[in-house]
Amino acid sequence: MRISFVKGHMGGNTIVVLCGDEVPRETEIEVSLRAMGHTCVSGHEAGILYAPEGHGDIKAKIVGFTSRRFISACGGFTQVLGKALVEAGLAERFGIPVIEPVTKVHIETDAGLVEVAIEVSGGKAGKVTTDMGAFLSECYDLGVGPVRLPGVNAMRVGKFLVLNADEVRAACQEADFDKMNTAALETLVRLQEGFKAITGQENLDFALYDWHPRQGGDLRAVYPHSIPSGHVEPACGTGTVAIGVACAESGEMDDRGVPDEGPAMLRFETGGGPNLAGPEVTELSMTLRRGRPVKARFSHSKVEVTADGRIWL
């Protein structure tokens, strides 16, 4: 079986893009997992592309490597896809016109229709901005609110456990999230297991943040979705939105003078490695109504296409 692929990353969140017309039906998850395997292309998530069925320009089914199933949304996938449409020929393959200075593409996903705006100049893709409204709605549909874990206050945002690292430091002074020492890793695993027990869901979505940036951002973050399997994403689009929702709903943004009506911007230091913070920046733009986010868009400062070719499975 020969399948075309494009690989890219968003701040170290690695994505494999496959073309659905080359993937046999009923094998989509199996093929995606094999493609994402460490002995093949390697990736955190895979997106399989199809001709649109509704009002979009392209349809995508997204597979998570650790969850080993279809997932509803992946911000990193949309960012890499934006680059790949322009720079890896995918726009031409799916009949999508590339227009300068901005090309807008609508992706049909399991979470809903997602708009991606790609800045284009001289045949190259610049900044990619993803509208995360569909995922934001999903979070509130699934439930948003505080969760009390052993010794720690946290937030549930849809499928996500969102945790302020200062809460953990207060409960476990040995935890070092800059070095991600043994105490930090063991504590995070224990808290995630406690979250699963309370919510009854087999959660693999985890966002950790604090308000101690080093390079001029507002926050810094990392996404240790599954520490035992090594699935720690340095950057994560859905996780970025989840943190934004948690900060708004918990009142942390009020504490920093952010009005609860109108636009709000958060800049996250992310990317580069498995520790808290990184050398790149994720920008989250939200619209608040009575302190609740009703719109959300994000972009990442370093999105690259790293490989383009075929795999044999």
Side-chain angles (χ1 to χ4, degrees), residues 110-146:
D110 286 349
L113 199 63
V114 176
E115 181 183 89
V116 176
I118 311 152
E119 296 182 4
V120 183
S121 178
K124 296 293 184 180
K127 182 178 181 180
V128 180
T129 302
T130 304
D131 187 332
M132 297 294 285
F135 175 72
L136 183 63
S137 297
E138 178 188 281
C139 288
Y140 280 103
D141 288 343
L142 293 174
V144 173

PDB file of all heavy atoms in Angstrom, residues 110-146:
ATOM      1  N   ASP A 110     -15.080  16.776  12.738  1.00  0.00           N
ATOM      2  CA  ASP A 110     -16.100  16.179  13.604  1.00  0.00           C
ATOM      3  C   ASP A 110     -16.617  17.170  14.644  1.00  0.00           C
ATOM      4  O   ASP A 110     -17.697  16.973  15.200  1.00  0.00           O
ATOM      5  CB  ASP A 110     -15.540  14.937  14.298  1.00  0.00           C
ATOM      6  CG  ASP A 110     -15.409  13.762  13.341  1.00  0.00           C
ATOM      7  OD1 ASP A 110     -15.936  13.847  12.217  1.00  0.00           O
ATOM      8  OD2 ASP A 110     -14.764  12.754  13.714  1.00  0.00           O
ATOM      9  N   ALA A 111     -15.853  18.233  14.922  1.00  0.00           N
ATOM     10  CA  ALA A 111     -16.322  19.265  15.849  1.00  0.00           C
ATOM     11  C   ALA A 111     -17.199  20.300  15.160  1.00  0.00           C
ATOM     12  O   ALA A 111     -17.941  21.026  15.814  1.00  0.00           O
ATOM     13  CB  ALA A 111     -15.134  19.960  16.510  1.00  0.00           C
ATOM     14  N   GLY A 112     -17.126  20.372  13.824  1.00  0.00           N
ATOM     15  CA  GLY A 112     -17.871  21.367  13.068  1.00  0.00           C
ATOM     16  C   GLY A 112     -16.987  22.005  12.021  1.00  0.00           C
ATOM     17  O   GLY A 112     -15.857  21.571  11.768  1.00  0.00           O
ATOM     18  N   LEU A 113     -17.486  23.056  11.392  1.00  0.00           N
ATOM     19  CA  LEU A 113     -16.761  23.738  10.329  1.00  0.00           C
ATOM     20  C   LEU A 113     -15.708  24.662  10.932  1.00  0.00           C
ATOM     21  O   LEU A 113     -16.003  25.462  11.834  1.00  0.00           O
ATOM     22  CB  LEU A 113     -17.731  24.538   9.466  1.00  0.00           C
ATOM     23  CG  LEU A 113     -17.251  24.952   8.070  1.00  0.00           C
ATOM     24  CD1 LEU A 113     -16.974  23.722   7.206  1.00  0.00           C
ATOM     25  CD2 LEU A 113     -18.299  25.844   7.404  1.00  0.00           C
ATOM     26  N   VAL A 114     -14.464  24.560  10.447  1.00  0.00           N
ATOM     27  CA  VAL A 114     -13.340  25.333  10.973  1.00  0.00           C
ATOM     28  C   VAL A 114     -12.777  26.203   9.855  1.00  0.00           C
ATOM     29  O   VAL A 114     -12.411  25.699   8.790  1.00  0.00           O
ATOM     30  CB  VAL A 114     -12.234  24.410  11.516  1.00  0.00           C
ATOM     31  CG1 VAL A 114     -11.023  25.213  11.965  1.00  0.00           C
ATOM     32  CG2 VAL A 114     -12.773  23.565  12.668  1.00  0.00           C
ATOM     33  N   GLU A 115     -12.703  27.516  10.109  1.00  0.00           N
ATOM     34  CA  GLU A 115     -12.100  28.424   9.123  1.00  0.00           C
ATOM     35  C   GLU A 115     -10.632  28.642   9.452  1.00  0.00           C
ATOM     36  O   GLU A 115     -10.270  28.930  10.595  1.00  0.00           O
ATOM     37  CB  GLU A 115     -12.816  29.771   9.125  1.00  0.00           C
ATOM     38  CG  GLU A 115     -12.233  30.736   8.087  1.00  0.00           C
ATOM     39  CD  GLU A 115     -12.879  32.107   8.113  1.00  0.00           C
ATOM     40  OE1 GLU A 115     -12.388  32.970   8.881  1.00  0.00           O
ATOM     41  OE2 GLU A 115     -13.866  32.316   7.380  1.00  0.00           O
ATOM     42  N   VAL A 116      -9.793  28.511   8.433  1.00  0.00           N
ATOM     43  CA  VAL A 116      -8.363  28.758   8.558  1.00  0.00           C
ATOM     44  C   VAL A 116      -7.987  29.858   7.578  1.00  0.00           C
ATOM     45  O   VAL A 116      -8.291  29.765   6.387  1.00  0.00           O
ATOM     46  CB  VAL A 116      -7.545  27.481   8.264  1.00  0.00           C
ATOM     47  CG1 VAL A 116      -6.055  27.776   8.302  1.00  0.00           C
ATOM     48  CG2 VAL A 116      -7.887  26.388   9.266  1.00  0.00           C
ATOM     49  N   ALA A 117      -7.359  30.917   8.079  1.00  0.00           N
ATOM     50  CA  ALA A 117      -6.912  32.031   7.240  1.00  0.00           C
ATOM     51  C   ALA A 117      -5.395  31.958   7.104  1.00  0.00           C
ATOM     52  O   ALA A 117      -4.675  31.937   8.109  1.00  0.00           O
ATOM     53  CB  ALA A 117      -7.333  33.357   7.852  1.00  0.00           C
ATOM     54  N   ILE A 118      -4.917  31.916   5.859  1.00  0.00           N
ATOM     55  CA  ILE A 118      -3.494  31.737   5.586  1.00  0.00           C
ATOM     56  C   ILE A 118      -2.967  32.982   4.871  1.00  0.00           C
ATOM     57  O   ILE A 118      -3.466  33.345   3.798  1.00  0.00           O
ATOM     58  CB  ILE A 118      -3.261  30.510   4.680  1.00  0.00           C
ATOM     59  CG1 ILE A 118      -4.017  29.291   5.209  1.00  0.00           C
ATOM     60  CG2 ILE A 118      -1.774  30.218   4.532  1.00  0.00           C
ATOM     61  CD1 ILE A 118      -4.403  28.295   4.127  1.00  0.00           C
ATOM     62  N   GLU A 119      -1.991  33.638   5.466  1.00  0.00           N
ATOM     63  CA  GLU A 119      -1.355  34.764   4.793  1.00  0.00           C
ATOM     64  C   GLU A 119      -0.391  34.209   3.739  1.00  0.00           C
ATOM     65  O   GLU A 119       0.449  33.356   4.044  1.00  0.00           O
ATOM     66  CB  GLU A 119      -0.619  35.629   5.806  1.00  0.00           C
ATOM     67  CG  GLU A 119      -1.545  36.286   6.827  1.00  0.00           C
ATOM     68  CD  GLU A 119      -0.828  37.177   7.813  1.00  0.00           C
ATOM     69  OE1 GLU A 119       0.407  37.355   7.668  1.00  0.00           O
ATOM     70  OE2 GLU A 119      -1.488  37.705   8.721  1.00  0.00           O
ATOM     71  N   VAL A 120      -0.526  34.678   2.503  1.00  0.00           N
ATOM     72  CA  VAL A 120       0.247  34.132   1.386  1.00  0.00           C
ATOM     73  C   VAL A 120       0.992  35.258   0.678  1.00  0.00           C
ATOM     74  O   VAL A 120       0.412  36.314   0.376  1.00  0.00           O
ATOM     75  CB  VAL A 120      -0.671  33.413   0.375  1.00  0.00           C
ATOM     76  CG1 VAL A 120       0.161  32.790  -0.745  1.00  0.00           C
ATOM     77  CG2 VAL A 120      -1.517  32.356   1.070  1.00  0.00           C
ATOM     78  N   SER A 121       2.268  35.013   0.399  1.00  0.00           N
ATOM     79  CA  SER A 121       3.075  35.979  -0.347  1.00  0.00           C
ATOM     80  C   SER A 121       4.129  35.227  -1.148  1.00  0.00           C
ATOM     81  O   SER A 121       4.899  34.445  -0.582  1.00  0.00           O
ATOM     82  CB  SER A 121       3.752  36.964   0.610  1.00  0.00           C
ATOM     83  OG  SER A 121       4.580  37.873  -0.106  1.00  0.00           O
ATOM     84  N   GLY A 122       4.135  35.439  -2.446  1.00  0.00           N
ATOM     85  CA  GLY A 122       5.130  34.811  -3.300  1.00  0.00           C
ATOM     86  C   GLY A 122       5.098  33.301  -3.269  1.00  0.00           C
ATOM     87  O   GLY A 122       6.134  32.646  -3.386  1.00  0.00           O
ATOM     88  N   GLY A 123       3.917  32.720  -3.117  1.00  0.00           N
ATOM     89  CA  GLY A 123       3.781  31.277  -3.093  1.00  0.00           C
ATOM     90  C   GLY A 123       4.155  30.628  -1.781  1.00  0.00           C
ATOM     91  O   GLY A 123       4.177  29.397  -1.676  1.00  0.00           O
ATOM     92  N   LYS A 124       4.449  31.430  -0.759  1.00  0.00           N
ATOM     93  CA  LYS A 124       4.791  30.909   0.560  1.00  0.00           C
ATOM     94  C   LYS A 124       3.700  31.279   1.566  1.00  0.00           C
ATOM     95  O   LYS A 124       3.095  32.345   1.477  1.00  0.00           O
ATOM     96  CB  LYS A 124       6.133  31.473   1.034  1.00  0.00           C
ATOM     97  CG  LYS A 124       7.324  31.053   0.182  1.00  0.00           C
ATOM     98  CD  LYS A 124       7.596  29.562   0.311  1.00  0.00           C
ATOM     99  CE  LYS A 124       8.846  29.157  -0.464  1.00  0.00           C
ATOM    100  NZ  LYS A 124       9.120  27.708  -0.346  1.00  0.00           N
ATOM    101  N   ALA A 125       3.482  30.388   2.516  1.00  0.00           N
ATOM    102  CA  ALA A 125       2.497  30.633   3.561  1.00  0.00           C
ATOM    103  C   ALA A 125       3.172  31.301   4.746  1.00  0.00           C
ATOM    104  O   ALA A 125       4.224  30.851   5.210  1.00  0.00           O
ATOM    105  CB  ALA A 125       1.848  29.328   4.002  1.00  0.00           C
ATOM    106  N   GLY A 126       2.566  32.373   5.234  1.00  0.00           N
ATOM    107  CA  GLY A 126       3.058  33.035   6.439  1.00  0.00           C
ATOM    108  C   GLY A 126       2.220  32.640   7.636  1.00  0.00           C
ATOM    109  O   GLY A 126       2.014  31.469   7.906  1.00  0.00           O
ATOM    110  N   LYS A 127       1.711  33.628   8.328  1.00  0.00           N
ATOM    111  CA  LYS A 127       0.918  33.371   9.528  1.00  0.00           C
ATOM    112  C   LYS A 127      -0.364  32.634   9.179  1.00  0.00           C
ATOM    113  O   LYS A 127      -1.057  32.981   8.222  1.00  0.00           O
ATOM    114  CB  LYS A 127       0.593  34.698  10.220  1.00  0.00           C
ATOM    115  CG  LYS A 127      -0.194  34.566  11.514  1.00  0.00           C
ATOM    116  CD  LYS A 127      -0.414  35.940  12.142  1.00  0.00           C
ATOM    117  CE  LYS A 127      -1.174  35.846  13.444  1.00  0.00           C
ATOM    118  NZ  LYS A 127      -1.379  37.192  14.054  1.00  0.00           N
ATOM    119  N   VAL A 128      -0.686  31.611   9.968  1.00  0.00           N
ATOM    120  CA  VAL A 128      -1.918  30.842   9.811  1.00  0.00           C
ATOM    121  C   VAL A 128      -2.763  31.061  11.069  1.00  0.00           C
ATOM    122  O   VAL A 128      -2.277  30.878  12.185  1.00  0.00           O
ATOM    123  CB  VAL A 128      -1.632  29.340   9.625  1.00  0.00           C
ATOM    124  CG1 VAL A 128      -2.936  28.567   9.475  1.00  0.00           C
ATOM    125  CG2 VAL A 128      -0.718  29.107   8.418  1.00  0.00           C
ATOM    126  N   THR A 129      -4.020  31.460  10.879  1.00  0.00           N
ATOM    127  CA  THR A 129      -4.915  31.718  12.007  1.00  0.00           C
ATOM    128  C   THR A 129      -6.109  30.781  11.917  1.00  0.00           C
ATOM    129  O   THR A 129      -6.753  30.686  10.871  1.00  0.00           O
ATOM    130  CB  THR A 129      -5.400  33.178  12.012  1.00  0.00           C
ATOM    131  OG1 THR A 129      -4.264  34.053  12.061  1.00  0.00           O
ATOM    132  CG2 THR A 129      -6.288  33.449  13.222  1.00  0.00           C
ATOM    133  N   THR A 130      -6.396  30.098  13.013  1.00  0.00           N
ATOM    134  CA  THR A 130      -7.477  29.117  13.061  1.00  0.00           C
ATOM    135  C   THR A 130      -8.618  29.626  13.930  1.00  0.00           C
ATOM    136  O   THR A 130      -8.392  30.016  15.084  1.00  0.00           O
ATOM    137  CB  THR A 130      -6.981  27.782  13.635  1.00  0.00           C
ATOM    138  OG1 THR A 130      -5.875  27.304  12.865  1.00  0.00           O
ATOM    139  CG2 THR A 130      -8.093  26.739  13.615  1.00  0.00           C
ATOM    140  N   ASP A 131      -9.828  29.599  13.391  1.00  0.00           N
ATOM    141  CA  ASP A 131     -11.021  29.907  14.174  1.00  0.00           C
ATOM    142  C   ASP A 131     -11.411  28.651  14.952  1.00  0.00           C
ATOM    143  O   ASP A 131     -11.750  27.625  14.360  1.00  0.00           O
ATOM    144  CB  ASP A 131     -12.152  30.340  13.251  1.00  0.00           C
ATOM    145  CG  ASP A 131     -13.383  30.837  14.002  1.00  0.00           C
ATOM    146  OD1 ASP A 131     -13.601  30.390  15.144  1.00  0.00           O
ATOM    147  OD2 ASP A 131     -14.125  31.656  13.447  1.00  0.00           O
ATOM    148  N   MET A 132     -11.377  28.747  16.285  1.00  0.00           N
ATOM    149  CA  MET A 132     -11.633  27.592  17.143  1.00  0.00           C
ATOM    150  C   MET A 132     -13.046  27.612  17.727  1.00  0.00           C
ATOM    151  O   MET A 132     -13.313  26.994  18.758  1.00  0.00           O
ATOM    152  CB  MET A 132     -10.595  27.547  18.266  1.00  0.00           C
ATOM    153  CG  MET A 132      -9.170  27.363  17.778  1.00  0.00           C
ATOM    154  SD  MET A 132      -8.875  25.755  17.010  1.00  0.00           S
ATOM    155  CE  MET A 132      -8.818  24.693  18.457  1.00  0.00           C
ATOM    156  N   GLY A 133     -13.960  28.300  17.063  1.00  0.00           N
ATOM    157  CA  GLY A 133     -15.326  28.401  17.572  1.00  0.00           C
ATOM    158  C   GLY A 133     -16.016  27.064  17.732  1.00  0.00           C
ATOM    159  O   GLY A 133     -16.755  26.846  18.705  1.00  0.00           O
ATOM    160  N   ALA A 134     -15.795  26.141  16.796  1.00  0.00           N
ATOM    161  CA  ALA A 134     -16.438  24.829  16.878  1.00  0.00           C
ATOM    162  C   ALA A 134     -15.947  24.069  18.109  1.00  0.00           C
ATOM    163  O   ALA A 134     -16.739  23.445  18.837  1.00  0.00           O
ATOM    164  CB  ALA A 134     -16.172  24.025  15.608  1.00  0.00           C
ATOM    165  N   PHE A 135     -14.646  24.119  18.363  1.00  0.00           N
ATOM    166  CA  PHE A 135     -14.109  23.437  19.549  1.00  0.00           C
ATOM    167  C   PHE A 135     -14.574  24.127  20.819  1.00  0.00           C
ATOM    168  O   PHE A 135     -14.883  23.458  21.829  1.00  0.00           O
ATOM    169  CB  PHE A 135     -12.582  23.406  19.495  1.00  0.00           C
ATOM    170  CG  PHE A 135     -11.950  22.828  20.727  1.00  0.00           C
ATOM    171  CD1 PHE A 135     -12.023  21.476  20.987  1.00  0.00           C
ATOM    172  CD2 PHE A 135     -11.307  23.647  21.645  1.00  0.00           C
ATOM    173  CE1 PHE A 135     -11.454  20.932  22.144  1.00  0.00           C
ATOM    174  CE2 PHE A 135     -10.736  23.121  22.796  1.00  0.00           C
ATOM    175  CZ  PHE A 135     -10.815  21.759  23.035  1.00  0.00           C
ATOM    176  N   LEU A 136     -14.653  25.448  20.814  1.00  0.00           N
ATOM    177  CA  LEU A 136     -15.132  26.188  21.982  1.00  0.00           C
ATOM    178  C   LEU A 136     -16.549  25.757  22.339  1.00  0.00           C
ATOM    179  O   LEU A 136     -16.863  25.509  23.515  1.00  0.00           O
ATOM    180  CB  LEU A 136     -15.083  27.687  21.692  1.00  0.00           C
ATOM    181  CG  LEU A 136     -15.478  28.641  22.824  1.00  0.00           C
ATOM    182  CD1 LEU A 136     -14.523  28.519  23.993  1.00  0.00           C
ATOM    183  CD2 LEU A 136     -15.505  30.081  22.299  1.00  0.00           C
ATOM    184  N   SER A 137     -17.408  25.635  21.341  1.00  0.00           N
ATOM    185  CA  SER A 137     -18.779  25.178  21.585  1.00  0.00           C
ATOM    186  C   SER A 137     -18.794  23.765  22.149  1.00  0.00           C
ATOM    187  O   SER A 137     -19.577  23.449  23.060  1.00  0.00           O
ATOM    188  CB  SER A 137     -19.591  25.241  20.293  1.00  0.00           C
ATOM    189  OG  SER A 137     -19.712  26.567  19.827  1.00  0.00           O
ATOM    190  N   GLU A 138     -17.928  22.903  21.622  1.00  0.00           N
ATOM    191  CA  GLU A 138     -17.857  21.531  22.122  1.00  0.00           C
ATOM    192  C   GLU A 138     -17.477  21.502  23.599  1.00  0.00           C
ATOM    193  O   GLU A 138     -18.030  20.722  24.378  1.00  0.00           O
ATOM    194  CB  GLU A 138     -16.840  20.733  21.309  1.00  0.00           C
ATOM    195  CG  GLU A 138     -16.645  19.301  21.783  1.00  0.00           C
ATOM    196  CD  GLU A 138     -15.512  18.600  21.081  1.00  0.00           C
ATOM    197  OE1 GLU A 138     -15.718  18.155  19.935  1.00  0.00           O
ATOM    198  OE2 GLU A 138     -14.414  18.515  21.675  1.00  0.00           O
ATOM    199  N   CYS A 139     -16.535  22.357  23.994  1.00  0.00           N
ATOM    200  CA  CYS A 139     -16.114  22.395  25.399  1.00  0.00           C
ATOM    201  C   CYS A 139     -17.292  22.696  26.315  1.00  0.00           C
ATOM    202  O   CYS A 139     -17.495  22.015  27.334  1.00  0.00           O
ATOM    203  CB  CYS A 139     -15.018  23.444  25.592  1.00  0.00           C
ATOM    204  SG  CYS A 139     -13.415  23.000  24.889  1.00  0.00           S
ATOM    205  N   TYR A 140     -18.079  23.710  25.960  1.00  0.00           N
ATOM    206  CA  TYR A 140     -19.214  24.065  26.809  1.00  0.00           C
ATOM    207  C   TYR A 140     -20.326  23.024  26.744  1.00  0.00           C
ATOM    208  O   TYR A 140     -21.042  22.809  27.731  1.00  0.00           O
ATOM    209  CB  TYR A 140     -19.731  25.453  26.436  1.00  0.00           C
ATOM    210  CG  TYR A 140     -18.892  26.553  27.052  1.00  0.00           C
ATOM    211  CD1 TYR A 140     -17.967  27.254  26.297  1.00  0.00           C
ATOM    212  CD2 TYR A 140     -18.999  26.860  28.400  1.00  0.00           C
ATOM    213  CE1 TYR A 140     -17.172  28.249  26.867  1.00  0.00           C
ATOM    214  CE2 TYR A 140     -18.220  27.853  28.983  1.00  0.00           C
ATOM    215  CZ  TYR A 140     -17.313  28.540  28.211  1.00  0.00           C
ATOM    216  OH  TYR A 140     -16.532  29.514  28.784  1.00  0.00           O
ATOM    217  N   ASP A 141     -20.461  22.360  25.602  1.00  0.00           N
ATOM    218  CA  ASP A 141     -21.450  21.276  25.519  1.00  0.00           C
ATOM    219  C   ASP A 141     -21.083  20.123  26.464  1.00  0.00           C
ATOM    220  O   ASP A 141     -21.965  19.519  27.091  1.00  0.00           O
ATOM    221  CB  ASP A 141     -21.546  20.754  24.084  1.00  0.00           C
ATOM    222  CG  ASP A 141     -22.240  21.729  23.145  1.00  0.00           C
ATOM    223  OD1 ASP A 141     -22.913  22.648  23.642  1.00  0.00           O
ATOM    224  OD2 ASP A 141     -22.085  21.581  21.910  1.00  0.00           O
ATOM    225  N   LEU A 142     -19.788  19.821  26.570  1.00  0.00           N
ATOM    226  CA  LEU A 142     -19.328  18.723  27.420  1.00  0.00           C
ATOM    227  C   LEU A 142     -19.259  19.125  28.890  1.00  0.00           C
ATOM    228  O   LEU A 142     -19.350  18.272  29.773  1.00  0.00           O
ATOM    229  CB  LEU A 142     -17.956  18.231  26.948  1.00  0.00           C
ATOM    230  CG  LEU A 142     -17.913  17.540  25.584  1.00  0.00           C
ATOM    231  CD1 LEU A 142     -16.479  17.244  25.184  1.00  0.00           C
ATOM    232  CD2 LEU A 142     -18.734  16.250  25.599  1.00  0.00           C
ATOM    233  N   GLY A 143     -19.080  20.412  29.144  1.00  0.00           N
ATOM    234  CA  GLY A 143     -19.051  20.886  30.523  1.00  0.00           C
ATOM    235  C   GLY A 143     -17.778  21.625  30.877  1.00  0.00           C
ATOM    236  O   GLY A 143     -16.676  21.182  30.529  1.00  0.00           O
ATOM    237  N   VAL A 144     -17.937  22.761  31.552  1.00  0.00           N
ATOM    238  CA  VAL A 144     -16.813  23.572  32.014  1.00  0.00           C
ATOM    239  C   VAL A 144     -17.056  23.927  33.470  1.00  0.00           C
ATOM    240  O   VAL A 144     -18.157  24.376  33.834  1.00  0.00           O
ATOM    241  CB  VAL A 144     -16.674  24.864  31.178  1.00  0.00           C
ATOM    242  CG1 VAL A 144     -15.608  25.783  31.782  1.00  0.00           C
ATOM    243  CG2 VAL A 144     -16.329  24.546  29.723  1.00  0.00           C
ATOM    244  N   GLY A 145     -16.056  23.721  34.323  1.00  0.00           N
ATOM    245  CA  GLY A 145     -16.216  24.085  35.724  1.00  0.00           C
ATOM    246  C   GLY A 145     -15.056  23.632  36.572  1.00  0.00           C
ATOM    247  O   GLY A 145     -14.170  22.894  36.109  1.00  0.00           O
ATOM    248  N   PRO A 146     -15.017  24.063  37.834  1.00  0.00           N
ATOM    249  CA  PRO A 146     -13.923  23.685  38.733  1.00  0.00           C
ATOM    250  C   PRO A 146     -13.986  22.218  39.124  1.00  0.00           C
ATOM    251  O   PRO A 146     -15.057  21.623  39.212  1.00  0.00           O
ATOM    252  CB  PRO A 146     -14.132  24.602  39.942  1.00  0.00           C
ATOM    253  CG  PRO A 146     -15.586  24.940  39.918  1.00  0.00           C
ATOM    254  CD  PRO A 146     -15.988  24.968  38.476  1.00  0.00           C
TER     255      PRO A 146
END
